[in-house]
Amino acid sequence: MTRVVRRATIDDVWAVHEIARESWHAAYDDVLGPETVDEVVDDWYAIGDLESTITDISGREDAAFLIAERAPGQSSATGADPGSEPRGFAHAVPWPEDTTVVFLARLYVRPDDWNEGIGTALLERLEADFSTAVDRIRLAVLADNQVGISFYESRGFDRVATRSSDLAAGLEEHVYERQLSTPDE
């Protein structure tokens, strides 16, 4: 299945917000509760903040905010033809303490599109874009997010640490990392 992965624009902010909401509810309702999920999404994915982030990253080579779409005319597993509607997004920034690392701050896909390769397409594009600039990609995922953990581990990420999450008392998150291959490999 062909996927289009492109840089995000201001026109994508509402889709990003909704993808985040759908994904967070699917992954975290049982852990955090639906009300907390709504509060977190409204805070972390506020429209004005997303607009600022996308604008700030535009044109930078050390950061990216990407959108994944299906090529027009392709249907999902549910049979719907979403056309070029955003199906997922990824956001990566430099790791402040180590210039050889890029931090994958966000990677989310609409739950109806899980296991269709959209997350992989986003990750592959990020890795290709950063492969000559950094050595590793790092991320944090809540320890209770089995979907996310399975995704990252299946793509060769190794757990390098576990720490307390700032999201809620008693929650832990795992830090994962993967060495990026060089263009010669």
Side-chain angles (χ1 to χ4, degrees):
M1 183 177 296
T2 304
R3 286 159 193 80
V4 175
V5 178
R6 60 174 174 77
R7 292 261 180 185
T9 69
I10 297 299
D11 293 338
D12 295 314
V13 295
W14 281 102
V16 167
H17 182 83
E18 288 308 309
I19 292 167
R21 185 174 307 285
E22 291 173 23
S23 299
W24 271 74
H25 277 294
Y28 297 123
D29 273 2
D30 291 342
V31 176
L32 301 171
E35 297 82 17
T36 301
V37 167
D38 280 333
E39 290 170 12
V40 169
V41 170
D42 289 342
D43 182 34
W44 291 7
Y45 298 89
I47 298 303
D49 292 344
L50 289 172
E51 289 173 346
S52 294
T53 299
I54 291 170
T55 299
D56 291 346
I57 286 176
S58 179
R60 287 178 52 184
E61 292 186 20
D62 67 340
F65 205 121
L66 303 175
I67 296 291
E69 304 170 334
R70 278 196 197 85
Q74 291 184 336
S75 61
S76 69
T78 61
D81 177 5
S84 62
E85 176 185 337
R87 309 309 298 165
F89 67 92
H91 173 208
V93 295
W95 186 259
E97 295 88 24
D98 187 346
T99 59
T100 66
V101 176
V102 66
F103 180 66
L104 179 58
R106 304 166 171 158
L107 191 155
Y108 291 100
V109 173
R110 291 184 189 275
D112 287 347
D113 294 310
W114 287 355
N115 299 313
E116 291 193 26
I118 293 171
T120 299
L122 285 161
L123 189 57
E124 287 173 351
R125 169 70 184 272
L126 283 172
E127 291 174 350
D129 287 355
F130 288 108
S131 65
T132 60
V134 299
D135 297 332
R136 295 173 313 241
I137 187 167
R138 184 177 294 152
L139 60 96
V141 61
L142 284 180
D144 293 318
N145 182 348
Q146 293 306 311
V147 171
I149 289 169
S150 175
F151 173 76
Y152 294 118
E153 287 180 350
S154 72
R155 275 130 194 101
F157 282 82
D158 295 313
R159 186 183 313 171
V160 296
T162 298
R163 62 189 185 198
S164 294
S165 171
D166 294 336
L167 191 57
L171 283 181
E172 290 186 326
E173 60 187 20
H174 299 310
V175 178
Y176 280 84
E177 194 169 276
R178 188 170 117 191
Q179 186 77 25
L180 295 180
S181 56
T182 60
D184 297 347
E185 292 180 11

